């Protein structure tokens, strides 16, 4: 069992002084792909930039888990990725598509990928490895990322694999983006 994720949200009291508005686990946590799947801890999203800063509203409401941030917005999440057990490589393409459809991103899947979970989103993602070790898989090569490493993912096709014998935890900040003409899929 992975260590619990704690979300602390600040706000303002009626006099405009800073306060802790929420302190506890994130409201939305889901494991995709069964018991040995990846756990999504959805921490916060914004629905526009600049983001609204008010006295005490909560996170903009969302149902379920969405891979992408809202249009013009941002998303922060933590993923717990268990060690690969071979089940991902054995998934039929239709099952992988169903997993991505469940998070609103069936369109993001790569065709004929080097890894079954290869996908591409129109976002800039800041990925910070918090615990463990992962493999970042790209169209041309792979690189090992370890605790403390930061990946700036700029709308490229990619997948994550955990080829170690321990779970890994990675934080993502996703920023809605726009592909340069001729670069989009």
């Amino acid at each position: 069992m992975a260590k619990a994720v704690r979300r602390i949200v600040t706000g303002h009291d009626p006099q405009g002084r800073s306060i802790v508005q929420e302190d506890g686990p994130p409201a939305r946590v889901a494991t995709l792909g069964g018991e040995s799947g990846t756990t999504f801890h959805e921490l916060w999203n914004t629905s526009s930039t600049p983001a609204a800063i008010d006295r005490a509203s909560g996170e903009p409401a969302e149902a379920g888990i969405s891979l992408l941030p809202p249009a013009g917005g941002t998303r922060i999440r933590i993923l717990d990725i268990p060690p690969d057990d071979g089940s991902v490589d054995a998934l039929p393409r239709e099952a992988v598509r169903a997993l991505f459809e469940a998070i609103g991103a069936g369109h993001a899947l790569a065709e004929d990928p080097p890894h079954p979970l290869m996908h591409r989103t129109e976002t800039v993602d800041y990925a910070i490895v918090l615990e463990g070790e992962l493999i970042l898989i790209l169209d041309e090569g792979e690189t090992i990322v370890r605790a403390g490493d930061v990946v700036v993912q700029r709308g490229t096709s990619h997948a994550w694999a955990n080829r170690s014998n321990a779970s890994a935890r990675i934080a993502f900040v996703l920023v809605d983006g726009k592909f340069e003409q001729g670069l989009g899929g």
Side-chain angles (χ1 to χ4, degrees):
M1 182 78 169
K3 182 172 67 173
V5 172
R6 178 180 174 202
R7 178 180 78 167
I8 301 163
V9 179
T10 64
H12 301 88
D13 70 11
Q15 291 74 40
R17 295 180 303 220
S18 58
I19 61 168
V20 171
Q21 183 177 320
E22 296 179 40
D23 186 344
R28 293 178 297 132
V29 176
T31 300
L32 301 179
E35 288 182 26
S36 64
T38 297
T39 300
F40 285 65
H41 304 268
E42 297 297 284
L43 297 171
W44 197 264
N45 74 81
T46 61
S47 56
S48 63
T49 301
I53 300 172
D54 57 16
R55 293 199 187 283
S57 68
E59 176 183 18
E62 287 187 310
I65 304 295
S66 175
L67 181 64
L68 302 172
T74 65
R75 174 175 315 287
I76 182 169
R77 70 168 43 105
I78 291 175
L79 294 183
D80 288 324
I81 303 175
D84 292 349
D85 62 4
S87 60
V88 169
D89 289 330
L91 283 174
R93 192 70 178 154
E94 301 78 35
V96 172
R97 184 163 304 284
L99 285 173
F100 274 78
E101 291 287 347
I103 56 176
H107 66 282
L109 281 173
E111 297 300 322
D112 194 29
H115 186 277
L117 301 181
M118 191 88 144
H119 62 285
R120 180 179 186 208
T121 57
E122 200 166 359
T123 60
V124 173
D125 306 342
Y126 307 118
I128 304 111
V129 180
L130 303 173
E131 296 175 17
E133 175 180 293
L134 293 165
I135 307 297
L136 170 61
I137 303 166
L138 301 171
D139 290 326
E140 297 294 329
E142 302 180 350
T143 190
I144 298 172
V145 291
R146 295 181 177 94
D149 292 346
V150 177
V151 175
V152 179
Q153 176 68 32
R154 300 178 54 238
T156 56
S157 291
H158 66 284
W160 298 95
N162 183 346
R163 297 180 186 148
S164 75
N165 61 1
S167 287
R169 179 170 275 186
I170 186 168
F172 289 94
V173 176
L174 293 84
V175 180
D176 186 35
K178 183 163 180 59
F179 286 128
E180 175 182 278
Q181 186 173 356
L183 191 57

